[in-house]
């Protein structure tokens, strides 16, 4: 099976279909993710309007590029995968994370990057929880672990605690050097 077909399978799985949440964005807008988020990206992969490049990075990472960046060697509308273990629940959860970015691009959404990343981390943690992966799979203090706590509160409907963990997630993203180049800016998808 090609990695593209594998990704389509992940995005159309029962675990991804059960991801459904919304939260108040940092600018007051409502950020919503549900099964249509992942179906949209699966359809774009199937049609070829989103490409996949394997082994772009030496590590266990993935990224979605919404715009071409000739200096960085990135094409628009492309998933770039590292040397990930392709058959793990962590990989599947990571694909859901990057698919949130792709979906916002496909729908030409405009939102703060901080909310885009927060939604992606929550979707990643939601998939992990739906697949039976415990919170211990994520590094203590990581954005993924904080997002997992937020998912637990979302599933229980604890509004005050949801806000607390989403704020903690945003704070973690702002302080992580990996995101300093863009986290305080705005994302604008272009379809």
């Amino acid at each position: 099976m090609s990695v593209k077909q594998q990704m389509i399978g992940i995005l159309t799985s029962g675990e991804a279909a059960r991801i459904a949440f919304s939260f108040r964005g940092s600018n007051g807008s409502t950020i919503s993710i549900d099964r249509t988020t992942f179906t949209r990206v699966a359809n774009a992969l199937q049609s070829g309007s989103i490409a996949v490049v394997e082994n772009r990075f030496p590590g266990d990472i993935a990224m979605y590029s919404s715009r071409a960046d000739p200096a960085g060697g990135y094409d628009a509308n492309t998933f770039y995968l590292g040397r990930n273990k392709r058959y793990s629940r962590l990989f599947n959860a990571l694909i859901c994370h990057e698919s949130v970015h792709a979906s916002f691009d496909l729908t030409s959404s405009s939102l703060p990057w901080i909310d885009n990343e927060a939604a992606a981390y929550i979707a990643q943690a939601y998939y992990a929880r739906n697949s039976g992966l415990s919170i211990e799979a994520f590094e203590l203090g990581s954005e993924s672990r904080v997002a997992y706590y937020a998912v637990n509160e979302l599933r229980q409907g604890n509004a005050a605690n949801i806000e607390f963990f989403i704020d903690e997630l945003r704070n973690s993203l702002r302080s992580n050097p990996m995101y300093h180049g863009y986290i305080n800016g705005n994302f604008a998808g272009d379809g």
Side-chain angles (χ1 to χ4, degrees), residues 11-12 16-17 34-45 103 106:
L11 297 173
T12 57
D34 61 24
R35 73 184 313 146
T36 62
T37 301
F38 307 105
T39 303
R40 178 180 301 113
V41 177
N43 290 340
L45 282 164
S103 181
L106 290 168

Side-chain angles (χ1 to χ4, degrees), residues 44-168:
L45 282 164
Q46 187 67 47
S47 73
S49 59
I50 290 181
V52 179
V53 174
E54 293 186 77
N55 301 319
R56 173 61 194 262
F57 311 109
D60 188 18
I61 62 171
M63 74 170 258
Y64 174 77
S65 176
S66 61
R67 290 201 165 68
D69 177 7
Y74 299 111
D75 293 327
N77 306 322
T78 304
F79 283 102
Y80 289 94
L81 306 178
R83 298 193 185 281
N84 311 68
K85 295 176 184 170
R86 301 282 195 263
Y87 295 97
S88 72
R89 289 178 285 176
L90 286 172
F91 175 73
N92 296 356
L94 182 58
I95 294 306
C96 288
H97 174 121
E98 294 302 326
S99 292
V100 168
H101 302 316
S103 181
F104 286 142
D105 182 34
L106 290 168
T107 58
S108 299
S109 298
S110 180
L111 69 158
W113 259 113
I114 192 86
D115 296 329
N116 189 331
E117 284 294 349
Y121 271 105
I122 293 168
Q124 178 178 359
Y126 222 123
Y127 181 94
R129 190 178 192 287
N130 287 348
S131 71
L133 194 61
S134 83
I135 196 168
E136 284 77 27
F138 298 109
E139 184 179 333
L140 190 62
S142 69
E143 287 85 6
S144 300
R145 191 148 183 164
V146 174
Y148 203 109
Y149 288 123
V151 169
N152 286 339
E153 299 303 324
L154 283 161
R155 290 178 52 87
Q156 295 174 20
N158 298 329
N161 291 346
I162 293 166
E163 288 292 322
F164 172 80
F165 284 113
I166 291 175
D167 285 345
E168 286 299 305

